[in-house]
Amino acid sequence: MYSIAMSTPERLIESTRELLWERGYVGTSPKAIQQHAGAGQGSMYHHFAGKPDLALAAIRRTAEEMRATADATLSGDGSAYARIESYLLRERDVLKGCPVGRLTMDPDVIASDELRAPVTETLDWLRDRIAGIVEEGLARGEFTAALDPVDIASAVVATVQGGYVLARSSRSPAAFDTAVRGLLALLAASRTPDDVRPATTTTQ
């Protein structure tokens, strides 16, 4: 399942990430992690203090990957609107949901200050990153309305996370696409004439 070159700690972390995604914290037992990773109990406890320690490493890894993926899109070329549009329309496995956002629905993760911290920090980072892009757009005169950067950024994050929930509930990515199109239409109404470009109408 994993490359033979992957170290035992890496296999344990990746296994925990997958199991947290599939089963949640309670359903991810140390034995299940060991079996999934092909590692013995001694190896697991040699590298990690226990399940909470390993879960924290796994959640941090997931959070880091989400940040890197989002930043790669948001750091692209184009206007503020175009960069936000690219983020909203990038390819996603919508029906699986957000790997970080889904952790907010795990009561054991949310009840732990330590496990919750990477989740909160990542969502806060995303909101702040998008708010900074809106501020750049305002400074360059790309938007006509007096938009509040934090409000817009919060709406973007909420639309994506809520879109995942709607898509999973309906078992169709169409619900996610509809939410994204609605937000982009509202944001497009605030663009200056010089910044207007043909809008993308489909999502992945």
Side-chain angles (χ1 to χ4, degrees):
M1 183 176 184
Y2 296 111
S3 167
I4 58 174
M6 186 179 289
S7 68
T8 299
E10 284 296 306
R11 295 202 311 273
L12 288 165
I13 290 173
E14 290 303 314
S15 294
T16 304
R17 291 177 66 194
E18 293 180 27
L19 292 171
L20 284 173
W21 180 276
E22 296 171 1
R23 308 179 185 183
Y25 186 82
V26 169
T28 302
S29 67
K31 183 176 181 180
I33 295 170
Q34 292 158 25
Q35 291 177 339
H36 197 278
Q41 181 176 353
S43 295
M44 176 176 168
Y45 288 100
H46 173 73
H47 296 289
F48 299 96
K51 174 182 168 180
D53 185 38
L54 184 49
L56 179 59
I59 292 171
R60 283 175 173 167
R61 176 73 58 80
T62 296
E64 288 167 3
E65 286 194 0
M66 177 177 167
R67 290 192 193 198
T69 300
D71 195 52
T73 303
L74 294 169
S75 298
D77 297 328
S79 67
Y81 176 89
R83 291 156 66 192
I84 294 171
E85 179 187 48
S86 294
Y87 168 72
L88 287 170
L89 298 179
R90 72 172 178 79
E91 186 173 357
R92 294 175 169 87
D93 191 345
V94 174
L95 296 183
K96 287 190 70 175
C98 173
V100 171
R102 280 185 66 179
L103 292 169
T104 66
M105 293 181 276
D106 190 316
D108 294 279
V109 172
I110 294 304
S112 167
D113 291 342
E114 192 172 31
L115 296 178
R116 187 178 68 252
V119 176
T120 302
E121 290 166 3
T122 298
L123 294 175
D124 286 348
W125 170 87
L126 181 59
R127 183 198 60 215
D128 293 344
R129 182 75 175 86
I130 295 171
I133 293 172
V134 176
E135 288 178 355
E136 291 175 20
L138 288 168
R140 292 198 295 257
E142 296 174 9
F143 297 115
T144 57
L147 302 179
D148 183 288
V150 175
D151 286 353
I152 295 300
S154 297
V156 170
V157 175
T159 297
V160 171
Q161 295 300 322
Y164 280 125
V165 172
L166 293 173
R168 285 173 59 80
S169 174
S170 64
R171 301 182 67 181
S172 170
F176 183 95
D177 297 346
T178 299
V180 165
R181 286 198 304 270
L183 177 59
L184 286 173
L186 293 173
L187 189 57
S190 298
R191 298 163 73 190
T192 61
D194 290 341
D195 188 55
V196 173
R197 297 174 177 81
T200 304
T201 57
T202 59
T203 63
Q204 297 289 334

